[in-house]
Amino acid sequence: MLNLGLDIGGTKTEAVILNREGEALSTQRIATVKTDYPAFLHSLVDFIRHVTEGFNQPVSIGLCLPGTEDADTRVIKNSNIVVLNQQPLIRDLEHALQRPVAWDNDANCFTLSEATDGAAAQADIVFGAILGTGCGGGLSMHKTLWPGRNRNAGEWGHNPLPHYAPEQDGPAVKCYCGQWNCTESFISGTGLARQYHQRHALALDAKEFFQRLESGEADAAALFSLYKNQLARALAAVINIYDPDVIVVGGGLSRIPAIFDGLDRDVAKYVFNTACSTPIVAAKHGDSSGVRGAAWLGARAMG
């Protein structure tokens, strides 16, 4: 069987077809239609049919989807593609295509990709951490996603920042989720930019921050030192709870090599056991991990 993965983003929708060895047989992209739900659904169904035509064998389907599905009503909620909210997307897709469709969020698809044939392919228990605009995470055990009873496994970004103290981390901040001092508010790219603005009254994004860091700016260097400490505290909490064989880091900030410098040593300062040998590595598949994870998700669903 071949495996189709689709990564539905706010700007583009990417598709890949993998064979069972993980070789990409086809990769295509289209602009994501966001005018209204019927137009989105029609575009996605047409895209799936176009991508799969010409393959004379069964093709499983998996989606990397922004948002989640309400367990009771099966409608999408919390999606940044707003036309999907309150719509039964998966049910409608399965009806239109007359085949099952597997789905999960970007962090879980990323984790499954890296655990299957990525940077953690040799590990049994894998924690995937995304450091981008937000701060997502996922947990894989024996190359199978472990969502948890409430589908919350891996949501490290919405636990309070460990060892938070206003004198070192700045004033308390309320997260969009309604809680205070969420880890995401500090160690995501958005959180890093927020902290710089809070300290220096200058609005910038994460890319501009790292440009200042590379130029040798003292203010950026001081904040980056604090940021790495915050990241180490957050990852140590993950190890204290899950104790994975490896942590794979993805997202835009994972492309900054300096983030990994001495990170394992700093994490070890905060774990319960003073000895910590957990490898913390960058993703192998980079931006393709989401779509590849969706393809493996479909393969797992089909057995």
Side-chain angles (χ1 to χ4, degrees), residues 171-185:
V173 56
K174 190 172 186 179
C175 181
Y176 68 86
C177 75
Q179 303 299 321
W180 287 87
N181 297 329
C182 284
T183 294
E184 179 171 292
S185 298

Side-chain angles (χ1 to χ4, degrees), residues 58-124:
V59 181
S60 68
I61 301 174
L63 295 184
C64 180
L65 185 67
T68 189
E69 187 182 63
D70 186 280
D72 294 327
T73 63
R74 294 201 66 192
V75 299
I76 301 299
K77 60 181 182 179
N78 301 329
S79 178
N80 60 358
I81 302 176
V82 294
V83 298
L84 299 186
N85 290 321
Q86 303 306 309
Q87 300 292 343
L89 174 63
I90 305 303
R91 187 167 58 203
D92 287 346
L93 270 179
E94 291 180 330
H95 177 75
L97 298 169
Q98 291 297 294
R99 66 176 83 177
V101 175
W103 68 274
D104 218 314
N105 62 39
D106 57 348
N108 285 339
C109 287
F110 162 81
T111 302
L112 183 59
S113 170
E114 293 297 323
T116 300
D117 64 351
Q122 304 307 312
D124 286 330

